[in-house]
Amino acid sequence: MSPHLRKKVVVVGHGMVGHRFVTAAIERGLTETHDIVVLGEEPRPAYDRVALTSFFEVGAEALSFLPSGVYEDPRVTLRTSTSVIEIDPAAQTVMLADGEEMAYDELVLATGAAPFVPPVPGAELGNVFVYRTIEDLEAIREAAKTARAGAVIGGGLLGLEAANALHQLGVETHVVELAPRLMAVQVDDAGGNTLKRHIEKLGLTVHTGVMTESALPSVVDEDESGVRDGRVSALKFKDVEEPLPVDMIVFSAGIRPRDALARAAGLDLAERGGVLVDEQCRSSDPHVWAVGECAAPGGKMYGLVAPGYDMAEVVADALLGGKGTFTGADMSTKLKLLGVDVASFGDAHGTTDECLELTYSDAVAGVYKKLVISEDGTRLLGGVLVGDASAYGLLRPMVASGIPLPDNPEELILPASSGGGASVQLPPEAQVCSCNNVTRGDIEAAVDNGCESAAEVTKTTKAGSTCGSCKVQVKKIVEDYFTAQGRTVDLSLCEHFTMTRAELFDVVLIHGYTTFDQIIEAHGTGRGCDICKPAVASILASQLNGHVLAKENRKLQDTNDAYLANLQKNGSYSVVPRIPGGEITPEGLIVIGEVAREFGLYTKITGGQRIDMFGARMEDLPAIWKRLVDAGFESGHAYGKSLRTVKSCVGSTWCRYGVQDSVGLAIMLETRYRGLRSPHKLKGGVSGCARECAEARGKDFGVIATEKGWNLYVGGNGGAVPAHAQMLAGDLSTEELVRYLDRFLMYYVRTADRLQRTSTWIDSLDGGLDRVREVVVDDVLGLGTELEAAMTAHVDGYFDEWKATLEDPEKLRRFVSFVNAPEIPDPNISFGSTRGQIVPEAGGTEPVSLGASIPVGRHAFNEQSLEESR
């Protein structure tokens, strides 16, 4: 017992679960009587390890749960880069690596788990990594800069996340799994095979049922005996003669609880590792607790974050005298691996006696679904979803709540076009968010207590805030509850406009407004903001086909539109000429090469079959455009919320499998829809056969050739939340295809919310894809002719923004680094060199001091001051 009035809780470990314990302790009032000291071994505070792969896209700060490194409650102290090397339960002290001894009244172990590295000879070589921390990813990213091929050992959840990371870094990726299928714990053979096809289609190579024998070192032939440089060069498989050449290896074959401190302190451990704890997560010592992956309640280790959160809540409650217990956890999981939806819930493998299985498989679409139901067909016991996990938010709570199945349970997994889409009302006690143990009743109670939107419900209840797999279900529950109460969800565009974007689109169309000032004076309040101004700019551009740099619209544009180029990290810009369908002449290639060489630009082939040129100074943009325009190129709109590309394969012209001219159609569609301003960027694809080399079903609109014509798919996208396109209509003539696409795109432009991708727009419609099909194909609203006319007006009014800018001296005046010293380039833009090309140099994004010259490239001015300076 501490001699002080206040007691001290020491928390060893500041990962996701350690952080959750601290926040739970603060919320429940534990800090009123206890000081909390958190000792984190990593150099940074807790971060979202579930979303670790997104580090490459969003950076470390975006993943952090505590970016400031300090809790708001002053009675909590966080020390990072602090290692505990010994626990003395008898003295109730911990010893730190620097020799400091710290006393505690209660000790909470949240040390997590460590990656399991099999005893493979060569695992100690250079360029061999594990996949666990941000520091691991930073090291992997550095090695990937020079690596050609890499292997990930492990085909489970963590292994596929690691494979995704290597793939994102541009490394030829091999996935190596000892089991006969991927994700063997979560999915069955059919689901694993479907997942494998998806992953291999992305260009990764999957090796299942193979055992890694050793990692081989590289050899530099400096003399006859050879000198090993200490880095890996190949992977040797058992019973396979030829080694697999790789430049790097990532071990992601599972985890093991970090229980060394508990073991040395003499605490009881589970048979397979982990601190053995009771139902309150108390160890064999009454003042030592364990939570998360280092703990083994009832002898079982849980490797998911949701059970760890539950344990953290239980311990916080117990320290306040509560009687809450941890009695097990829902091990269901839903995630997106390499862009593929995968979900597993309940008794996924059908181990329950006399259970039955319902399966749905579409090999062409890459979808596999299985439901495990009770023998009498009344209860859902579990299931597997691969390729389409949209039903997970409904199915998983059905397992936990035990509510009866509908009369035709197959409707739960069949696509809507085949009679699927059964609706089931979850009971109030049904758990919707397993990560944070939030029920439907909790969500509705949050609405009753004042939450006005799904976002507010998430903030209040934490439902959907961890893995995000239940966000769609949370939103639906909130909206359904509002409807049942006769209330409406506030869908205002922003504080300045009470209308939705779709309503505002119609208002502008009906009244013929041409400026933002007209619109906000008539239908809004205030001066506008960075939400409504770009939205209005998009609406005006869609309806008027005016130049984005026209004086009346200039103040509405964001950075990229304002300069018709994409601003890069060091203040330079990219130039991306349009190359419809990816088809380009040798003369066109030569011009692009000459421009890149003359202006010292970095060049890269994009995934949309274009050539990026990076590093252009803003004052050089007009000169670069002129060279390209004179050679017949035009703006590729890589900077705008508009059509980017229509990707194609070589089709029947060259390919022996092609059944239609995919290149010709792609060029026609890209030429038709170029410059179309929309709520979000748009991408298309055309494949000449079912082998789908253009990846059309990953696009907002995708076309796949058949022997009878074309199949049209809509609502796909990459990005942070990838989505698979769904078929809208099949076996279309080219004329039908263009008519339906005209209608689809204009319907989207008119009715979608700001920055809403086609996939989420379709999901938001009452009826989803079926509603789109009714409007676009069946023309139930009688809008077909109107939508087609709107597209025709766009096509007829199209002009190249680059060319128009070059022809307008007023617009050209914008393209100087300093308005009062146009001859001086921005000194803050600097470059280094990698692989023979320029790259942004560190420090190139430092802010420019506003002295005698005004830096246009940094936009450190407002439109009024710029006009005054002229």
Side-chain angles (χ1 to χ4, degrees):
M1 178 69 67
S2 169
H4 304 291
L5 182 62
R6 290 180 60 82
K7 295 182 179 181
K8 180 190 286 187
V9 177
V10 173
V11 182
V12 182
H14 194 236
M16 296 178 71
V17 175
H19 173 71
R20 182 53 169 264
F21 168 77
V22 175
T23 57
I26 295 172
E27 291 170 358
R28 291 168 183 262
L30 184 64
T31 51
E32 297 299 321
T33 55
H34 291 68
D35 293 320
I36 300 177
V37 179
V38 189
L39 307 175
E41 189 175 37
E42 293 189 52
R44 64 186 82 243
Y47 51 88
D48 189 353
R49 210 184 299 271
V50 173
L52 189 59
T53 303
S54 64
F55 163 74
F56 296 124
E57 181 179 353
V58 303
E61 186 171 345
L63 296 179
S64 180
F65 290 142
L66 197 68
S68 67
V70 179
Y71 285 97
E72 291 184 4
D73 191 326
R75 295 162 294 191
V76 179
T77 302
L78 170 63
R79 294 170 59 173
T80 55
S81 300
T82 303
S83 298
V84 175
I85 61 173
E86 185 181 347
I87 299 171
D88 186 342
Q92 292 186 216
T93 61
V94 295
M95 180 69 70
L96 308 187
D98 62 3
E100 178 184 353
E101 188 175 76
M102 182 178 295
Y104 65 81
D105 293 293
E106 305 291 340
L107 180 67
V108 179
L109 298 178
T111 50
F116 169 65
V117 179
V120 174
E124 73 287 349
L125 292 170
N127 276 11
V128 177
F129 308 95
V130 293
Y131 187 85
R132 184 66 175 174
T133 67
I134 286 178
E135 284 67 38
D136 292 334
L137 265 65
E138 287 175 335
I140 289 170
R141 179 169 59 184
E142 185 62 29
K145 292 179 180 178
T146 55
R148 184 190 62 81
V152 175
I153 310 298
L157 292 174
L158 296 175
L160 294 182
E161 284 288 341
N164 189 22
L166 287 193
H167 183 62
Q168 287 184 15
L169 292 170
V171 177
E172 177 189 313
T173 305
H174 296 260
V175 180
V176 180
E177 169 58 42
L178 177 62
R181 63 177 182 270
L182 297 174
M183 289 186 64
V185 174
Q186 289 81 18
V187 303
D188 57 13
D189 288 338
N193 289 334
T194 302
L195 179 59
K196 180 180 179 182
R197 286 195 296 271
H198 272 292
I199 291 174
E200 289 181 332
K201 188 176 178 181
L202 296 173
L204 289 78
T205 304
V206 177
H207 310 263
T208 53
V210 297
M211 177 180 289
T212 302
E213 194 171 77
S214 63
L216 305 179
S218 57
V219 177
V220 180
D221 292 325
E222 294 182 351
D223 54 38
E224 293 183 358
S225 62
V227 177
R228 298 184 176 184
D229 72 355
R231 291 189 300 179
V232 68
S233 68
L235 200 58
K236 182 71 173 64
F237 299 139
K238 185 178 181 181
D239 300 325
V240 178
E241 186 173 344
E242 290 295 324
L244 175 67
V246 292
D247 306 299
M248 59 188 300
I249 295 174
V250 178
F251 280 101
S252 192
I255 55 176
R256 297 292 184 270
R258 298 186 63 194
D259 55 14
L261 287 173
R263 187 183 303 273
L267 301 178
D268 291 348
L269 302 181
E271 184 179 350
R272 302 186 63 179
V275 183
L276 191 62
V277 295
D278 62 17
E279 291 184 344
Q280 286 198 303
C281 297
R282 192 193 308 260
S283 75
S284 54
D285 182 280
H287 298 290
V288 180
W289 315 72
V291 294
E293 293 166 332
C294 71
K300 180 178 180 179
M301 175 202 173
Y302 294 86
L304 297 177
V305 68
Y309 281 180
D310 287 346
M311 295 181 212
E313 297 278 355
V314 166
V315 173
D317 179 67
L319 291 175
L320 285 165
K323 301 299 183 183
T325 60
F326 178 85
T327 57
D330 181 2
M331 297 299 286
S332 301
T333 183
K334 174 183 177 290
L335 63 164
K336 192 175 290 287
L337 298 166
L338 293 147
V340 183
D341 279 329
V342 180
S344 171
F345 53 94
D347 183 10
H349 293 290
T351 58
T352 304
D353 290 341
E354 306 298 330
C355 64
L356 306 174
E357 294 186 357
L358 286 175
T359 61
Y360 167 79
S361 180
D362 183 347
V364 175
V367 173
Y368 171 77
K369 303 178 184 181
K370 180 180 78 172
L371 297 183
V372 180
I373 64 178
S374 60
E375 182 184 10
D376 59 6
T378 62
R379 288 188 57 235
L380 180 63
L381 303 178
V384 174
L385 306 171
V386 178
D388 175 14
S390 57
Y392 175 80
L394 172 65
L395 297 174
R396 189 199 56 75
M398 287 182 65
V399 175
S401 63
I403 64 174
L405 283 165
D407 292 337
N408 300 301
E410 68 276 6
E411 294 177 0
L412 294 169
I413 54 174
L414 286 174
S417 59
S418 301
S423 177
V424 176
Q425 177 67 36
L426 296 175
E429 66 274 12
Q431 186 187 65
V432 176
C433 176
S434 60
C435 291
N436 298 286
N437 192 23
V438 182
T439 66
R440 194 199 106 200
D442 295 331
I443 293 170
E444 293 177 349
V447 174
D448 290 336
N449 290 329
C451 289
E452 295 292 337
S453 66
E456 290 186 17
V457 168
T458 294
K459 185 176 180 179
T460 301
T461 66
K462 297 186 175 68
S465 64
T466 303
C467 75
S469 65
C470 61
K471 276 189 174 181
V472 173
Q473 187 73 3
V474 171
K475 184 174 184 293
K476 186 176 187 307
I477 290 172
V478 171
E479 293 177 350
D480 288 349
Y481 196 51
F482 275 144
T483 301
Q485 294 180 325
R487 299 168 59 186
T488 57
V489 182
D490 183 8
L491 299 176
S492 300
L493 182 64
C494 67
E495 60 184 293
H496 303 106
F497 288 97
T498 58
M499 292 174 281
T500 65
R501 180 193 174 277
E503 292 168 340
L504 193 58
F505 188 101
D506 288 339
V507 166
V508 174
L509 182 65
I510 293 169
H511 292 280
Y513 297 126
T514 59
T515 67
F516 179 81
D517 290 340
Q518 292 173 342
I519 300 168
I520 199 166
E521 182 179 350
H523 302 282
T525 60
R527 295 183 175 182
C529 61
D530 57 359
I531 293 175
C532 60
K533 285 183 176 180
V536 169
S538 171
I539 291 171
L540 291 174
S542 298
Q543 296 187 16
L544 303 178
N545 286 341
H547 198 292
V548 292
L549 296 188
K551 188 172 182 178
E552 63 271 16
N553 293 329
R554 197 179 299 159
K555 63 184 178 182
L556 307 179
Q557 306 301 336
D558 61 19
T559 301
N560 292 335
D561 270 330
Y563 289 91
L564 308 183
N566 208 338
L567 180 65
Q568 303 302 321
K569 64 189 295 183
N570 70 336
S572 64
Y573 289 81
S574 62
V575 177
V576 187
R578 186 172 298 286
I579 304 176
E583 183 178 86
I584 187 169
T585 64
E587 288 75 16
L589 283 170
I590 289 169
V591 170
I592 290 177
E594 288 176 343
V595 168
R597 182 174 59 192
E598 179 177 339
F599 290 90
L601 307 179
Y602 169 96
T603 55
K604 183 182 183 298
I605 305 295
T606 75
Q609 297 178 330
R610 301 197 293 195
I611 299 175
D612 275 340
M613 292 181 280
F614 291 87
R617 291 179 176 272
M618 188 247 293
E619 62 270 19
D620 289 337
L621 288 174
I624 294 171
W625 295 340
K626 187 175 189 311
R627 289 288 303 280
L628 294 168
V629 168
D630 288 347
F633 291 103
E634 60 183 25
S635 168
H637 287 94
Y639 49 84
K641 296 295 183 284
S642 58
L643 178 75
R644 296 298 177 83
T645 66
V646 179
K647 185 177 180 180
S648 73
C649 64
V650 296
S652 59
T653 305
W654 290 95
C655 180
R656 67 184 186 277
Y657 300 114
V659 294
Q660 301 286 355
D661 179 13
S662 56
V663 178
L665 182 65
I667 292 173
M668 186 267 281
L669 294 178
E670 184 165 339
T671 302
R672 182 172 183 80
Y673 302 129
R674 59 190 173 179
L676 178 66
R677 293 284 168 162
S678 52
H680 204 288
K681 66 184 176 184
L682 292 166
K683 295 183 180 181
V686 182
S687 287
C689 74
R691 284 172 173 77
E692 244 282 73
C693 292
E695 300 169 333
R697 280 180 291 180
K699 305 292 191 289
D700 295 280
F701 62 90
V703 183
I704 301 177
T706 72
E707 295 286 354
K708 299 178 182 179
W710 307 99
N711 286 347
L712 173 59
Y713 295 80
V714 295
N717 60 252
V721 185
H724 208 61
Q726 305 172 73
M727 192 165 82
L728 183 67
D731 292 333
L732 304 174
S733 67
T734 302
E735 181 183 357
E736 290 173 320
L737 173 73
V738 172
R739 181 164 68 250
Y740 292 160
L741 255 181
D742 284 358
R743 293 177 181 180
F744 171 77
L745 292 173
M746 291 311 301
Y747 183 39
Y748 164 65
V749 168
R750 288 182 61 164
T751 63
D753 200 357
R754 59 176 291 275
L755 300 180
Q756 188 175 37
R757 301 204 74 151
T758 54
S759 58
T760 51
W761 167 68
I762 291 173
D763 289 341
S764 71
L765 296 174
D766 187 12
L769 182 66
D770 287 339
R771 181 57 176 171
V772 174
R773 187 176 293 110
E774 289 174 352
V775 174
V776 171
V777 179
D778 302 332
D779 197 17
V780 295
L781 298 180
L783 290 175
T785 301
E786 182 180 335
L787 295 174
E788 292 168 35
M791 183 61 76
T792 300
H794 160 74
V795 174
D796 293 343
Y798 171 77
F799 61 89
D800 176 28
E801 291 170 352
W802 284 356
K803 187 173 185 293
T805 302
L806 294 172
E807 295 170 349
D808 188 335
E810 173 66 20
K811 294 183 176 68
L812 285 175
R813 291 178 60 189
R814 297 177 61 82
F815 294 89
V816 292
S817 287
F818 302 100
V819 296
N820 57 346
E823 72 283 356
I824 300 177
D826 189 340
N828 291 274
I829 297 176
S830 57
F831 300 95
S833 178
T834 296
R835 297 185 294 276
Q837 295 208 75
I838 64 166
V839 291
E841 198 164 60
T845 56
E846 290 299 314
V848 182
S849 174
L850 296 182
S853 299
I854 302 175
V856 177
R858 291 291 182 273
H859 300 273
F861 63 97
N862 58 37
E863 191 65 28
Q864 182 180 2
S865 67
L866 178 59
E867 293 298 333
E868 289 171 350
S869 71
R870 289 171 176 165

